[in-house]
Amino acid sequence: MISTTLFPGRYVQGRSALSRLGGELARLGTRHFLICSPHPLEHLLPPVLPGVEQAGAVRTERFGRECTDQEIERLSGLAREFGAQTVTGMGGGKTLDAAKAVAARVGLPVVVVPTIASTDAPCSSVCVVYSPDGVFLRADVLPRNPDVVIVDTEVMARAPARFLVAGMGDALATWFEADSCRKGRGRNIAGDAGSMTALALARLCYETVRNFGLSARTACEAGVATPALERVVEANTLLSGLGFESGGLGAAHSIHNGLTALPAVRGLHHGEKVAFGVLASLFLTDAPMALVDEVYALCASLGLPTTFADLGLAGVSDQELLRVAEKSCAPGESIHNEPVEISPSLIQAALKAADAEGRRRVPADAGLCPSRSPLR
Ligand SMILES: [Zn+2]
């Protein structure tokens, strides 16, 4: 049995880490194509642009909201036309995925600058492609991981806390999915077994979110980068990225993909849907009640969804849940890495049990956090 572990080339994190962008780009080339979400384009890039311009010629382009095949094609054309030697993505997960895909298509190194800690996309070689109206289409595995990942924790601290919380939802899944792959001899993103390194990082990811998650959320609400926030940003971005990619995915991400079939969840972040996928996976895999208790209490304290109503799916029909379940267990979905029987009706049952447990607990869990959920 061969295991493969995947890493980004370099991971730079801390206060004012964005000031390193020019220096990192200078190592990689002299013509830099930057793809930015609207907010970083207007607010985060201008202060560091002089440093970037010292690293060579720069062309910036606004990202078109959704990581679609059409958008990747458009941006690749612009990068070629500019004669780019590097591609940088600055923004949320979709912007970063698009930058990674453009760099792969044009054959260039890529620098990734997440401006929110809401997903584990930055360090990975995976690019999730959506349809123009936001439905999950597929996850492409690119030939290489990002060359540089730059994470400025002051930027993360100033972003709305909901992003950090969503990132913790995504990070929460990492250990459960990697552990399922280990038990079920599931394959990681490289198609190989996960290494003990990946499993240990996935465990550290879970423990960091469990032990420092609420403190980090509080810091983020105050707009400050405390040590707890630094830890959680690293867990959401580096540990979760290494853990899922090298440890393997399981039910939680497939249930996320299934949920995207329902238009009502479109306003939710990736990690919020993944977190509910973790809760459903606890029932799918018959997790011990002490663990169910721990994970629900954690989700409630952080403000992650624990009921259909939290997901915007109050009154969801059995037929709709079956659509979610069927999409979740489509051929090729990572849910087949779980060491248990998988079928649409079993997934539908796990979803309903997860919601029932969330509703059963609401009065008790509501006391865990003054503003129980940013979703309400
Ligand atoms: Zn994820």
Side-chain angles (χ1 to χ4, degrees):
M1 188 173 64
I2 293 175
S3 77
T4 297
T5 315
L6 299 88
F7 300 94
R10 192 178 277 206
Y11 180 83
V12 184
Q13 179 186 310
R15 291 156 170 267
S16 306
L18 203 48
S19 64
R20 298 288 183 87
L21 178 59
E24 292 296 334
L25 284 172
R27 293 193 301 115
L28 301 172
T30 56
R31 294 185 69 77
H32 310 295
F33 183 65
L34 274 61
I35 302 165
C36 296
S37 307
H39 176 80
L41 186 63
E42 281 151 33
H43 301 282
L44 302 178
L45 187 60
V48 297
L49 198 56
V52 175
E53 284 168 342
Q54 277 179 12
V58 177
R59 164 145 189 195
T60 56
E61 182 63 26
R62 182 184 289 253
F63 176 62
R65 290 184 68 88
E66 202 63 77
C67 184
T68 62
D69 285 314
Q70 296 84 335
E71 180 66 357
I72 293 166
E73 189 56 44
R74 180 183 79 85
L75 293 166
S76 299
L78 292 174
R80 281 198 195 96
E81 183 187 288
F82 176 62
Q85 293 174 351
T86 74
V87 175
T88 298
M90 192 184 282
K94 290 179 179 183
T95 310
L96 307 183
D97 275 10
K100 291 188 287 184
V102 168
R105 191 165 298 190
V106 187
L108 298 176
V110 63
V111 177
V112 162
V113 187
T115 52
I116 47 177
S118 66
T119 75
D120 50 20
C123 293
S124 85
S125 60
V126 177
C127 167
V128 178
V129 180
Y130 291 85
S131 72
D133 51 359
V135 177
F136 169 85
L137 289 183
R138 59 179 199 279
D140 289 342
V141 180
L142 305 171
R144 59 199 272 190
N145 290 62
D147 295 81
V148 183
V149 179
I150 300 177
V151 182
D152 189 322
T153 44
E154 283 173 326
V155 170
M156 303 290 175
R158 286 198 301 267
R162 185 173 169 185
F163 291 123
L164 186 78
V165 168
M168 288 193 263
D170 202 15
L172 183 62
T174 309
W175 161 250
F176 294 96
E177 295 188 299
D179 194 42
S180 286
C181 286
R182 181 185 63 82
K183 290 177 184 151
R185 302 174 74 82
R187 302 287 149 175
N188 66 15
I189 298 299
D192 288 323
S195 59
M196 66 174 187
T197 304
L199 204 64
L201 294 177
R203 184 70 203 175
L204 179 60
C205 184
Y206 176 63
E207 287 171 2
T208 303
V209 170
R210 188 188 62 193
N211 298 340
F212 300 97
L214 188 53
S215 175
R217 174 186 156 154
T218 304
C220 195
E221 281 169 343
V224 292
T226 59
L229 183 124
E230 293 271 358
R231 285 178 194 266
V232 166
V233 167
E234 187 179 330
N236 286 9
T237 314
L238 182 61
L239 293 174
S240 183
L242 293 168
F244 99 77
E245 189 163 44
S246 296
L249 291 172
H253 273 80
S254 291
I255 290 169
H256 162 275
N257 296 342
L259 284 168
T260 66
L262 303 181
V265 303
R266 297 259 163 87
L268 293 183
H269 294 298
H270 170 83
E272 291 167 341
K273 287 170 276 180
V274 169
F276 195 78
V278 173
L279 300 181
S281 79
L282 296 173
F283 291 94
L284 191 68
T285 60
D286 206 18
M289 210 53 207
L291 184 61
V292 171
D293 219 44
E294 180 176 289
V295 178
Y296 271 83
L298 178 60
C299 286
S301 74
L302 295 175
L304 285 164
T306 62
T307 64
F308 289 152
D310 288 344
L311 292 167
L313 295 176
V316 65
S317 69
D318 279 358
Q319 209 176 6
E320 287 173 313
L321 288 176
L322 195 61
R323 261 170 59 208
V324 170
E326 281 167 352
K327 192 167 167 62
S328 300
C329 64
E333 275 294 340
S334 57
I335 201 165
H336 301 291
N337 284 338
E338 295 288 340
V340 293
E341 189 188 334
I342 296 295
S343 72
S345 63
L346 287 169
I347 298 166
Q348 188 195 35
L351 287 164
K352 290 175 92 163
D355 166 64
E357 176 64 11
R359 283 186 287 113
R360 185 184 72 77
R361 301 174 57 96
V362 163
D365 284 348
L368 288 173
C369 177
S371 58
R372 178 170 176 265
S373 167
L375 301 171
R376 290 174 184 214

